[in-house]
Amino acid sequence: MDARLDYGSSEILQKFVKHINSAGAAVPRGTLPVATTNLVLTRASQINGCAVCVDMHTKDAAHAGETQLRINMVAAWRDAKVFTEAERAALLLAEQGTRIADGAPGVTDEAWADAARHYDAEQLAGLVCAITLINAYNRFNVLCRNQGGDYQPGQWE
């Protein structure tokens, strides 16, 4: 299966990605724990079936020191005892914010309140931005049929 569009030869795609990357830069590093960010980005990408982003964020997580066990358990986080309550709240927020594409009702007040117990307003803003951005990247990659598997940690920094 080949990609539908060649990113390298499209000025429009390169300009778009440059701007979307700029949007991602609005959230300062350190706003959220790196582990939480990688877990959220991985989970949304799993839900959306984005091989490029699953590849990237699982490798980035491992590179940042995340254990293989926790990376492997992200898809089944509800039934895994390896995540903190704060991480669970972030994962639930990511799932509910991502599954709106499935016709789900969106983020419940309970999920938001749970996240707000663990994260301050700036961290919640960072979570919302990360979830929004990864969903955009996922759709971009799925639409273009970009394939994962060859990402190297830090490649896009």
Side-chain angles (χ1 to χ4, degrees), residues 5 7 14 19 45 51 54 57-58 63 67-69 74-75 99 111-112 115 121 129 135 138-139 144 148 154 157:
L5 291 171
Y7 170 81
Q14 290 177 22
H19 286 289
S45 299
V54 170
H57 298 298
T58 56
H63 186 72
T67 67
Q68 196 60 53
L69 173 64
V74 172
R99 291 202 182 275
W112 185 266
C129 291
N135 274 279
N138 292 163
R139 280 151 179 76
C144 293
E157 291 180 5

Side-chain angles (χ1 to χ4, degrees), residues 7 10-24 133 136-137 140-141 144 146 156:
Y7 170 81
S10 171
E11 289 183 35
I12 291 172
L13 293 181
Q14 290 177 22
K15 187 174 183 179
F16 175 78
V17 170
K18 178 181 176 184
H19 286 289
I20 202 167
N21 286 343
S22 293
L133 190 63
Y137 279 122
F140 174 84
N141 285 314
C144 293
N146 293 327
W156 299 111

Side-chain angles (χ1 to χ4, degrees), residues 58-90:
T58 56
K59 287 177 180 174
D60 282 347
H63 186 72
E66 188 61 75
T67 67
Q68 196 60 53
L69 173 64
R70 284 170 40 94
I71 293 169
N72 292 345
M73 297 301 292
V74 172
W77 66 268
R78 283 181 179 82
D79 300 317
K81 56 185 174 183
V82 297
F83 301 107
T84 68
E85 290 303 312
E87 290 168 339
R88 290 174 179 282

Side-chain angles (χ1 to χ4, degrees), residues 22-40:
S22 293
V27 179
R29 290 187 187 264
T31 300
L32 293 167
V34 172
T36 302
T37 301
N38 283 324
L39 294 171
V40 163

